[in-house]
Amino acid sequence: MESTPKSVTVLGLGDMGTALATSLLAAGHRVSVFNRTPHKAAALAEKGARQAQSPAEAIRDSPLVLVCILDYAGIGPLLTDDGAGEALRGRTVVNLTNGSPDEARALAERVTALGADYLDGGIMAVPEIIGKPQAFVLYSGAGDVFEAHRGLLDTFARSVYLGSDPGLAPLNDLALLSGMYGMFGGFLHAAGLVRSAGGNVAEFTRELLVPWLRAMADSQLPAMAEQADAGNYGATGSNLAMQVSHDAIGGVSRAQGVSTELFAPLWELMKRRVADGHGEESLGGVVELVHPRGPRSPSAPV
C-alpha cells in the first residue's frame, strides 16, 4: 500500500465510487471528486475531499483519474466534454466501470489518443469490503503504467495485473461473475428443496452446504480446470453417463413443487454430451459444448 500521500481523482460517486474515495481519504491521500449529481459529494467533502465543479476541474487536480460509473456509454462525455479531454493529457485513467473487452479496448484507444495512459479494471468486491483484505481488483493495460500506480491502487483492494490487453480485465471480471452466479443458482435451487420439506435454510446452508461447496471447490475445480486447458476429460470419479442415468434431482424437485429452471440447463448439457459419445468423461467435458476448443483468443482468461 502506498504510504506517501498522493493526489487522486474519483469520477462517479455511486456506492462503489464513494467507497473507493472513502478508502483513499482514510489512507491520507488528497482526493478530488466529481459527480453529475453534486449532493452525492457532500459527505466526502466533509471528510476532506475536494469537490470539483466539472470533470475537467477534477481531472486537472490529479495525475491519476479513477472512473467508476454505471456503464461505458457515460464515460466518453465524462472524459471529453467541456475541456476534460484536453485536461487528460499526461495523466493516467483507470477505468473501473463494468463492461466488455471490446468496450475496454475502444476506450483505451480513445484515451491514449488524447495523450493519457489507460488501465482497465474489474472490481471483485462489493462496496462494503473495499479497503479490506478480501477485496481485489483486476487490471489490464500497459504494465509500466500499472506498476507506477500500483502502490496507490493497493490502497482500496489487492491489485491483480493480467496483461497488456485492456480487454483482459473485463473478460476475467465477467468470468468470475459467471462462476458466482452459477453458485448462487445452485444455492437457490437447494434452498427451494430444503424449504419445500419445511427445513431451515439458514441452518442447512451454514452446517451443510457451505462446507460441502468448499470441499468440492478445493477438490474438484482445480482438476476440472486442468482438463479444460488440456482438452482431456478422463473421469476420475463418477463419469457423465452414470450421473445422467436417472434424473433424481429433477424428479424430486418436481415432486416437491420446486422449479427445475435453474438446474435444467446444466442437466440438458450433461445429457447432450453423453448422447454425443462422451459418457466416460468427467463433468468437465461439458465445457466443450459451452465453448468448443479452438485457437486461444486474446481475451482468454488467465
Side-chain angles (χ1 to χ4, degrees):
M1 184 180 297
E2 181 63 55
S3 58
T4 303
K6 291 189 175 181
S7 296
V8 57
T9 286
V10 179
L11 302 180
L13 298 175
D15 290 345
M16 184 59 78
T18 297
L20 297 173
T22 300
S23 180
L24 290 162
L25 285 168
H29 295 295
R30 297 178 292 274
V31 181
S32 292
V33 296
F34 173 80
N35 195 76
R36 293 206 181 276
T37 307
H39 77 267
K40 290 189 175 182
L44 290 167
E46 291 179 0
K47 295 177 181 178
R50 180 182 182 278
Q51 183 176 356
Q53 301 305 306
S54 69
E57 181 183 329
I59 290 167
R60 283 192 290 267
D61 278 348
S62 313
L64 181 65
V65 179
L66 307 183
V67 181
C68 187
I69 62 175
L70 180 63
D71 55 35
Y72 276 71
I75 298 175
L78 194 66
L79 295 181
T80 57
D81 290 356
D82 301 324
E86 183 180 346
L88 280 176
R89 183 169 299 278
R91 288 169 169 78
T92 295
V93 172
V94 178
N95 177 36
L96 300 172
T97 301
N98 186 268
S100 73
D102 284 345
E103 286 176 314
R105 296 185 189 109
L107 184 59
E109 290 183 4
R110 187 171 184 178
V111 169
T112 54
L114 293 169
D117 292 319
Y118 181 86
L119 291 173
D120 207 272
I123 301 176
M124 308 315 301
V126 293
E128 292 77 15
I129 65 171
I130 290 295
K132 298 180 179 179
Q134 58 267 49
F136 66 97
V137 178
L138 310 173
Y139 294 99
S140 56
D144 58 339
V145 176
F146 169 74
E147 289 299 334
H149 298 286
R150 182 171 193 162
L152 188 144
L153 297 175
D154 281 340
T155 300
F156 49 80
R158 176 171 60 90
S159 302
V160 181
Y161 179 69
L162 300 177
S164 60
D165 174 9
L168 286 171
L171 189 283
N172 281 263
D173 178 0
L174 295 174
L176 288 167
L177 291 176
S178 71
M180 178 193 74
Y181 281 114
M183 178 187 70
F184 287 164
F187 161 76
L188 293 171
H189 189 100
L193 279 172
V194 170
R195 197 169 69 174
S196 75
N200 185 298
V201 176
E203 181 179 354
F204 164 79
T205 301
R206 181 179 62 253
E207 302 297 330
L208 298 176
L209 183 60
V210 170
W212 169 247
L213 291 180
R214 284 175 177 159
M216 289 300 96
D218 289 342
S219 66
Q220 300 300 308
L221 289 187
M224 292 174 69
E226 291 181 3
Q227 289 182 333
D229 282 337
N232 182 356
Y233 305 103
T236 56
S238 302
N239 63 34
L240 269 177
M242 190 282 290
Q243 292 185 55
V244 303
S245 60
H246 63 288
D247 186 8
I249 294 176
V252 170
S253 297
R254 288 185 286 270
Q256 293 290 119
V258 176
S259 171
T260 62
E261 291 172 276
L262 289 167
F263 175 70
L266 176 58
W267 179 252
E268 293 302 319
L269 286 169
M270 293 165 67
K271 290 196 299 181
R272 198 168 104 208
R273 188 67 174 168
V274 172
D276 289 345
H278 301 279
E280 295 304 312
E281 290 182 347
S282 73
L283 177 60
V286 172
V287 72
E288 296 297 336
L289 297 178
V290 177
H291 177 256
R293 288 184 67 80
R296 185 181 174 91
S297 73
S299 289
V302 295

